[in-house]
Amino acid sequence: MSPRKIIIDTDPGQDDAVAILLALASPEDIDVLGITAVAGNVPLPLTQKNARIVCELAGKTDVKIFSGCDAPLSRKLVTAEHVHGKTGLDGPTLPDPTMPLQDQHAVDFIIDTLRAEDSGAVTLCPLGPLTNLATAFNKAPDIIERVQEIVLMGGAYFEVGNITPAAEFNIYVDPEAADVVFKSGVPIVVMPLDVTHKALVTKPRNDAFRAIGTDVGIAVAEMTDFFERFDKEKYGSAGAPLHDPCVTAYLIAPDLFKGRHVNVKVEIQSDLTLGMTVADWWGVTDRAPNALFIGDLDADGFFSLLTERLARL
Ligand SMILES: [Ca+2]
């Protein structure tokens, strides 16, 4: 099989960085057509810069990186420096990037790519708020039916919220954009907190990254070290959850994951539960399934895949 063509839409973020590194380390499985940055964990000037820092760390300076939307469709941007640090990539000391940012807007790159490639040949992989995707779908509805699949990190159901009691960060930041995406009719695979909170970087797993001994291995160990203090304090968990790498790992090894085809709707009105992903896990409504909502993963298999692939960079 030829590698799957993808666009990574991202707001790096330490876990975004690891997701990108996994994709770039896996050319036999994944062909990264471009990386589009969006405002999220930190403001856009930092997310586009961090995307370039990560590609340079991987030694992949030919990857095309685009800057996208700097604010949600109709709300004020909420960021997450309390989790990711001031730069979004706090932890390792990494040099400022010298590789270029493309001139084209991320939204136009998404539109042009979907029109230029065969219909059904491109998968979209959002790792942040869904603003760039929704803007592209609103601007060019003809591209919607050309998307092969959307594999995204976002939402939560049994694990409930991390930014509010009801909502996960990516969906909460731009619930209207998430609503557009979940109503689009494109096949969607969702990596909610329900599964990402099972992908924990325990001490032995962090040691395994460090033991790779390369710049990439050490940087990933330092990033997950930094990231972990927040989750240890908040959840009392054994380490940092690697949210976004679940997306790129799914593209390589879908058998590591288990979920259900269910209906998912995004709350866009209530102040109390804004951005909640209401997943009909028990099939108690007649709403048609629109997403494969993942609930479990083989965590050991996931970390061995990740460590083995990162060692290639
Ligand atoms: Ca992210």
Side-chain angles (χ1 to χ4, degrees):
M1 258 187 23
S2 53
R4 210 161 152 177
K5 293 180 178 179
I6 71 166
I7 297 173
I8 299 176
D9 188 67
T10 177
D11 63 337
Q14 292 90 348
D15 61 319
D16 302 71
V18 180
I20 293 167
L21 292 168
L22 176 59
L24 296 178
S26 307
E28 73 271 51
D29 300 301
I30 299 175
D31 177 6
V32 181
L33 301 177
I35 296 179
T36 52
V38 68
N41 287 325
V42 285
L44 185 67
L46 288 170
T47 60
Q48 59 88 349
K49 178 181 170 189
N50 290 345
R52 290 183 293 139
I53 289 174
V54 172
C55 288
E56 285 194 9
L57 173 66
K60 309 280 184 187
T61 51
D62 54 342
V63 177
K64 291 195 176 113
I65 298 177
F66 302 82
S67 195
C69 299
D70 64 359
L73 297 185
S74 57
R75 294 176 189 274
K76 217 166 137 336
L77 178 65
V78 175
T79 53
E81 285 88 354
H82 62 293
V83 184
H84 300 275
K86 206 160 160 273
T87 68
L89 275 188
D90 280 21
T93 306
L94 297 168
D96 277 350
T98 56
M99 66 182 282
L101 184 65
Q102 303 295 311
D103 291 333
Q104 193 179 25
H105 192 282
V107 168
D108 294 322
F109 170 72
I110 293 170
I111 293 170
D112 286 359
T113 304
L114 281 161
R115 285 178 177 161
E117 296 285 342
D118 290 343
S119 186
V122 177
T123 294
L124 301 176
C125 299
L127 309 177
L130 291 157
T131 319
N132 284 345
L133 253 66
T135 305
F137 286 2
N138 286 341
K139 190 174 174 187
D142 59 288
I143 64 171
I144 295 173
E145 63 174 26
R146 303 180 67 83
V147 180
Q148 180 182 9
E149 194 173 37
I150 295 169
V151 184
L152 68 86
M153 191 277 137
Y157 192 64
F158 294 99
E159 197 67 8
V160 295
N162 61 355
I163 185 78
T164 74
E168 178 279 330
F169 178 80
N170 288 345
I171 307 294
Y172 177 78
V173 171
D174 200 345
E176 284 78 15
D179 188 47
V180 168
V181 169
F182 276 93
K183 284 179 176 164
S184 68
V186 176
I188 302 176
V189 179
V190 183
M191 295 293 166
L193 299 181
D194 303 341
V195 65
T196 67
H197 279 174
K198 295 174 182 169
L200 296 177
V201 187
T202 58
K203 177 80 169 60
R205 289 168 180 163
N206 185 278
D207 289 345
F209 292 146
R210 203 175 295 272
I212 295 171
T214 58
D215 288 352
V216 167
I218 291 163
V220 167
E222 289 177 354
M223 282 187 228
T224 50
D225 261 347
F226 178 87
F227 198 39
E228 133 184 310
R229 82 209 136 80
F230 172 77
D231 287 275
K232 271 191 172 162
E233 280 167 28
K234 182 171 173 187
Y235 296 106
S237 60
L242 275 185
H243 306 286
D244 294 340
C246 289
V247 168
T248 39
Y250 177 84
L251 299 175
I252 300 167
D255 292 347
L256 293 174
F257 297 86
K258 279 203 199 85
R260 289 188 189 181
H261 273 108
V262 299
N263 180 275
V264 179
K265 281 191 83 165
V266 179
E267 175 57 52
I268 54 172
Q269 284 170 345
S270 159
D271 286 340
L272 183 64
T273 58
L274 185 72
M276 183 176 182
T277 45
V278 180
D280 187 6
W281 188 261
W282 302 111
V284 295
T285 73
D286 56 6
R287 296 196 286 264
N290 61 347
L292 175 60
F293 201 79
I294 302 294
D296 205 359
L297 91 164
D298 168 358
D300 287 334
F302 169 82
F303 279 96
S304 23
L305 172 74
L306 191 53
T307 309
E308 174 226 311
R309 294 292 169 103
L310 292 178
R312 296 169 165 187
L313 294 172

